[in-house]
Amino acid sequence: MVGARFAIKNVSLEPFDSISDSVIIAAGKFEAVGRWDELANAMSATDQIFDGQGATLIPGIDDSHLHGYMLGRQLTGVNVSPEACPDMATINRRLQERAAQSSGWIRGFGWVSGVVIGSGPEGTPSYADLVASGVQRPIILTDFSGHQAWCNLAALQAAGITATTANPVGGVIVRDASGEATGLLLESAVKLVTEAIPKPSKAELKEALGITSELLLSRGVTAYTEPGIGPGAASLDDGTASLDVIDVYREMAANGEFAQRVDVMLLFGGLGGTTPEHVVSGLADFGQPETRSAQQQIAVSQLKVFADGIPRSRTAWMSDPYDNHSHGSLTIAGGTDAERVSNLGEIFRHATGLGWQVGIHATGDQAVSSIIDIAEQNPTAKSLRNYIIHADLVKSTDFVRLAANGIGLNMQPPIRWGVGRNVESILGQSRFEKRLQLKNILQNGINFALSSDAPVSSPDWRQIIATAVDRSFRTEKNYSDGQGLTPLEAFTAMTQGAAYQSHADAWRGKIAPGYVADFVLLDDRINFSEAIWEISDRTPRAVGVAGQIRYGQL
């Protein structure tokens, strides 16, 4: 058992500090950092001393955009990712196996468009492709991004979706040549089915969060931002991330059943069709944003807004057209681009006026430009550190504008790495090559954080760091565009950069005197002279939160 005051000596603090080799921790904080020959005399006879055996010690990882509840919820469903289910036959077999082991709706997650080739329009998956499973109960399979759902006929019937059902604002019901729904739903249309799914019990909510907390501890994640809890989550994944999840977070934290520090983002409206009224009434019902502090383990201080969709479904708002000559649009409510931008502006003004930090999902360059325009019209909101989530494509003229208006970026390099060239035909080569320009973002002085967006990609900080440094693709190891970061820059984005986003940079994100002792002691030293992917060989030996060992041992 670790006492109230202890030291860890003989460690490497690279890439942050190449000189110090030891830390002293007391009362949940780093008391001193330096060389052991300087710190040893500060230890008393009752203090404990642990030997790090030369291993790397880093600040606790802060995954600043991670769907914690959704991750745990997915791990209780059927994995239909390409790795687990490489073909349609395997998907149907897995669904059949789950049906034999359970009752009620069958949930699955992780399929990838373009990999799963179905019988729907342009090879998209259809409910007809799931008939071979023999399952008569409702099935909903969300893709890896959470922006698409593939349903069987029973699910469509449970939701009352027919040929006459209209597309919701910001969503699409994919139809065949006769106008019948195929079972594929895009963006806000997913909500039509998720609203028919039975509400999970409190025990199921706790199960999901417990699975997530243990998994993240084993990976060294001590803090994260939960991006989207509330009524708007009805259109995300299986639609069950209601406000009840916040109550369970708080209860588990109070009972010591949950380890991470969590910054929760409220979501009203959802993937598409969000109106100012959704946000005004939702925030009025919830109350004031909470003050973050080291004592506030679960804090609700942010608002999540979906401004557009994703490039692969051609729902991201682009200044130049896609391969099919469309441009996408904002998915905010409104009949024209001008109306949608106006509504987004009204949402931003209202929320920031009440002190809420706003994080806006935007992947298209035109969507990013419209957000900067809105920020320029509301300069007093700059202190709130509002930010854009994903920002896959940014106009070259907008980098300076982002920095000038204090708009941060939150980006996920593993998604770019995993998607690879799958979107090149949709975007065109020139635009494809300009995605996620990390070096330009850094050089322009834009505050930014890196994250996983789990379960969209793995909550593995080693992969995030590696894909930020190495600009290759999963299927193209030698590709590079010169936009990679250094290891120090990448690590900083997942510690200090993430803490800055959460207004916690004054007390977490560093191994420095006075900062909370959230840390990860790895099983060996990271050699930064080796290829960056070698960090995947390092695993946590011990993970501390406020000086308490929550995983492994020293």
Side-chain angles (χ1 to χ4, degrees), residues 423-441:
V423 294
E424 184 173 12
S425 61
I426 295 173
L427 294 174
Q429 181 180 356
S430 176
R431 187 163 47 185
F432 163 81
E433 294 174 347
K434 295 178 181 178
R435 293 176 301 156
L436 224 63
Q437 298 184 58
L438 299 180
K439 184 62 72 175
N440 284 345
I441 290 165

Side-chain angles (χ1 to χ4, degrees), residues 147-412:
H147 287 252
Q148 302 181 80
W150 171 18
C151 306
N152 69 347
L153 186 58
L156 295 180
Q157 291 171 340
I161 297 176
T162 68
T164 61
T165 304
N167 287 333
V169 176
V172 175
I173 301 170
V174 177
R175 306 172 194 273
D176 61 21
S178 67
E180 293 288 340
T182 67
L184 180 60
L185 308 172
L186 309 182
E187 306 294 348
S188 65
V190 176
K191 183 178 180 180
L192 299 175
V193 170
T194 59
E195 287 185 326
I197 298 176
K199 183 179 178 181
S201 66
K202 182 177 180 180
E204 289 175 306
L205 300 183
K206 290 188 68 174
E207 178 188 27
L209 294 184
I211 289 172
T212 290
S213 185
E214 290 302 314
L215 172 64
L216 296 183
L217 276 177
S218 72
R219 300 286 181 86
V221 177
T222 60
Y224 65 89
T225 296
E226 170 71 86
I229 300 294
S235 59
L236 278 176
D237 225 57
D238 72 349
T240 60
S242 68
L243 291 174
D244 293 341
V245 175
I246 298 176
D247 295 333
V248 175
Y249 262 125
R250 287 174 168 156
E251 179 182 321
M252 293 180 70
N255 294 335
E257 300 172 302
F258 193 87
Q260 285 77 19
R261 307 176 192 277
V262 181
D263 215 344
V264 177
M265 305 182 79
L266 296 179
L267 179 64
F268 306 104
L271 283 175
T274 303
T275 66
E277 290 73 24
H278 283 135
V279 173
V280 171
S281 62
L283 293 180
D285 290 342
F286 186 85
Q288 297 298 310
E290 298 172 352
T291 302
R292 291 117 152 177
S293 70
Q295 292 71 45
Q296 185 83 352
Q297 185 177 348
I298 311 297
V300 186
S301 305
Q302 297 189 47
L303 174 71
K304 169 78 171 287
V305 181
F306 280 94
D308 69 351
I310 57 175
R312 272 188 312 178
S313 59
R314 301 178 181 86
T315 51
W317 191 20
M318 300 291 187
S319 56
D320 293 324
Y322 291 104
D323 57 337
N324 66 353
H325 308 296
S326 69
H327 287 258
S329 70
L330 292 185
T331 54
I332 298 292
T336 66
D337 287 337
E339 288 177 4
R340 288 185 281 268
V341 171
S342 177
N343 283 337
L344 179 59
E346 188 174 342
I347 290 168
F348 184 88
R349 283 190 295 276
H350 179 78
T352 57
L354 295 175
W356 288 90
Q357 180 186 17
V358 179
I360 304 177
H361 167 113
T363 59
D365 64 346
Q366 193 60 37
V368 171
S369 291
S370 69
I371 294 167
I372 301 172
D373 293 341
I374 290 168
E376 288 177 339
Q377 296 161 15
N378 297 272
T380 58
K382 184 176 180 179
S383 64
L384 294 172
R385 303 181 185 178
N386 304 300
Y387 62 100
I388 297 173
I389 302 160
H390 306 311
D392 288 30
L393 289 160
V394 178
K395 298 174 185 175
S396 59
T397 54
D398 279 343
F399 287 116
V400 172
R401 297 176 68 213
L402 285 165
N405 288 279
I407 303 172
L409 297 180
N410 189 294
M411 298 159 293
Q412 301 74 37

